[in-house]
Amino acid sequence: DLGDEGAATLAAAVPSAKALRSLNLRRNGLSDLACRKFVAIVPGTALTEVSIAANSAEADTLSALEKALTSNAVRGSIADGASSCDLRSKGLGDAAASAVAGLLSSGVELAAIDLRNNNITDAGALVLYEALAPFTGPPIELPVIGNPCAGSAAARRLAG
């Protein structure tokens, strides 16, 4: 087990690993506090995948990690010059939808963000729709097929 002390050392080193995109911390005996240290460093890194499964992370920590990683993935696509971001089939939920909505509200410039086959509920679809409603730029595709929200009114509005 890495434990909390080892996690603190690793968390301090990760920001200098500029090309690091994925970090597997499963089953390392980490407390919620140690997991939060990794959540805190994500925005300053290129990380788009961090697993803290089978540790003692609480639901709000997992939610914050999902938001931070989703934001990094979208920003990374933009930085790479892509016209879209593929977030399909990543097990993402409403925290990811909230992160995407925040980026949409800040004027993200992508033609599509693929959210198919995740765990976005009606609430997440509504947040996405509300973020797009005032948007006056070119249309942004946000497919949500294969999510629990797929048949909801907000999902139908997202589909156009």
Side-chain angles (χ1 to χ4, degrees):
D1 281 3
L2 184 61
D4 285 2
E5 191 173 311
T9 302
L10 181 59
V14 166
S16 63
K18 299 294 182 196
L20 185 65
R21 300 232 182 222
S22 180
L23 187 60
N24 183 352
L25 298 167
R26 287 184 191 120
R27 294 184 184 96
N28 269 290
L30 305 181
S31 68
D32 183 64
L33 182 61
C35 292
R36 283 186 176 281
K37 288 181 183 180
F38 286 98
V39 172
I41 64 166
V42 165
T45 69
L47 287 167
T48 57
E49 294 181 26
V50 174
S51 175
I52 55 174
N55 286 296
S56 295
E58 295 178 8
D60 60 332
T61 301
L62 295 171
S63 217
L65 179 61
E66 182 175 307
K67 277 180 101 168
L69 291 170
T70 300
S71 293
N72 273 10
V74 173
R75 286 188 185 109
S77 292
I78 293 167
D80 292 343
S83 63
S84 64
C85 180
D86 185 358
L87 297 174
R88 151 183 65 187
S89 303
K90 298 207 178 277
L92 301 174
D94 292 342
S98 176
V100 169
L103 291 166
L104 292 171
S105 296
S106 70
V108 69
E109 294 183 19
L110 288 173
I113 301 173
D114 191 344
L115 294 166
R116 290 178 290 172
N117 303 317
N118 281 294
N119 295 312
I120 298 169
T121 69
D122 296 353
L126 184 59
V127 167
L128 289 167
Y129 175 73
E130 288 173 349
L132 276 181
F135 192 71
T136 58
I140 298 174
E141 293 179 40
L142 289 170
V144 292
I145 296 165
N147 283 279
C149 69
S152 73
R156 287 192 300 275
R157 289 184 199 129
L158 284 172

